[in-house]
C-alpha cells in the first residue's frame, strides 16, 4: 500500500457513506464509486437481498451505471473506489471493463480477490492490468463491517 492522497480519501469517504446506507437497509455495508476526470460518474452499494440478485454488489452496480452513462462497456480511464476488497466476481467485472485503477478500504480475509485470499490482479496470464491501492480509510471501512456483523449476532 502506498500513501493515500487527498483525492482518494475524498472519494472513499463518498463510498463509505454509501456503505452506511447499505447497512441501514440491512445489506452488507459496502459502497463503491466510479470516478473519471476527478468527477463521480456513478455509484452503488450492496443490495443483493433487496433485489434478489446475487450480482448486486456495490462494484457491479457502479460499473453498470458507469457503462450506461458513458455508453461503453469498456471503462479504461476510470478509478473504482470500494470500501471492501473486491470478490472474484467483482474483480472479473473490473478486468472485463478494462478499468485503470482500483482503490479499496478494508481487506476481506474471507473472499478478497486482490490481496487476502486470491491475488487475481497479479496474474501474469491476464491481458489487462489494473493498478490498485489498498487501505484507504481501511480502519473506518472495516469498523462499519465489523459493527454490522456484531449487531447481527
Amino acid at each position: 500500500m502506498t500513501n493515500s492522497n487527498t483525492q482518494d480519501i475524498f472519494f472513499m469517504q463518498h463510498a463509505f457513506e454509501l456503505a452506511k446506507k447499505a447497512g441501514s437497509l440491512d445489506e452488507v455495508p459496502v459502497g463503491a464509486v466510479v470516478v473519471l476526470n476527478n468527477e463521480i460518474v456513478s455509484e452503488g452499494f450492496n443490495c443483493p437481498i433487496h433485489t434478489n440478485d446475487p450480482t448486486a454488489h456495490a462494484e457491479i452496480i457502479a460499473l453498470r451505471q458507469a457503462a450506461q452513462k458513458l455508453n461503453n462497456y469498456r471503462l479504461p480511464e476510470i478509478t473504482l473506489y470500494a470500501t471492501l476488497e473486491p470478490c472474484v466476481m467483482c474483480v472479473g467485472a473490473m478486468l472485463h471493463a478494462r478499468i485503470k485503477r482500483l482503490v479499496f478500504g478494508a481487506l476481506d480475509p474471507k473472499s478478497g480477490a486482490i490481496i487476502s485470499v486470491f491475488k487475481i490482479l497479479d496474474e501474469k496470464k491476464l491481458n489487462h492490468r489494473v493498478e490498485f491501492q489498498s487501505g484507504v480509510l481501511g480502519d473506518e471501512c472495516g469498523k462499519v463491517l465489523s459493527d454490522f456483523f456484531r449487531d447481527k449476532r
Side-chain angles (χ1 to χ4, degrees):
M1 182 186 101
T2 58
N3 290 332
S4 306
N5 66 41
T6 306
Q7 179 179 319
D8 286 346
I9 292 169
F10 175 80
F11 291 119
M12 188 61 77
Q13 286 172 331
H14 188 85
F16 182 71
E17 292 304 315
L18 292 166
K20 290 194 299 189
K21 183 174 182 179
S24 74
L25 298 171
D26 218 24
E27 297 276 2
V28 174
V30 178
V33 177
V34 168
V35 174
L36 176 65
N37 300 324
N38 296 319
E39 291 188 20
I40 294 174
V41 174
S42 63
E43 60 187 38
F45 57 84
N46 271 11
C47 59
I49 298 166
H50 285 82
T51 59
N52 293 313
D53 178 357
T55 70
H57 288 195
E59 302 94 326
I60 300 290
I61 292 165
L63 287 170
R64 283 179 183 157
Q65 287 178 5
Q68 292 299 307
K69 186 172 183 179
L70 299 172
N71 200 31
N72 195 340
Y73 75 110
R74 298 283 197 221
L75 305 168
E77 297 302 317
I78 68 133
T79 297
L80 176 65
Y81 292 85
T83 58
L84 180 65
E85 179 181 3
C87 70
V88 172
M89 174 183 68
C90 292
V91 173
M94 291 174 213
L95 288 166
H96 285 289
R98 305 290 196 265
I99 74 166
K100 181 176 184 173
R101 185 169 177 251
L102 165 67
V103 178
F104 64 92
L107 294 175
D108 184 349
K110 293 189 177 182
S111 62
I114 307 295
I115 295 171
S116 298
V117 178
F118 301 105
K119 293 176 175 35
I120 294 173
L121 295 182
D122 291 342
E123 176 55 57
K124 303 287 187 242
K125 293 176 186 171
L126 294 171
N127 65 345
H128 179 68
R129 297 284 169 257
V130 175
E131 300 168 29
F132 69 89
Q133 179 176 351
S134 64
V136 176
L137 297 184
D139 291 342
E140 295 91 330
C141 294
K143 185 175 183 331
V144 77
L145 284 156
S146 59
D147 289 351
F148 175 82
F149 287 113
R150 184 196 63 235
D151 292 347
K152 286 283 183 202
R153 291 186 196 110

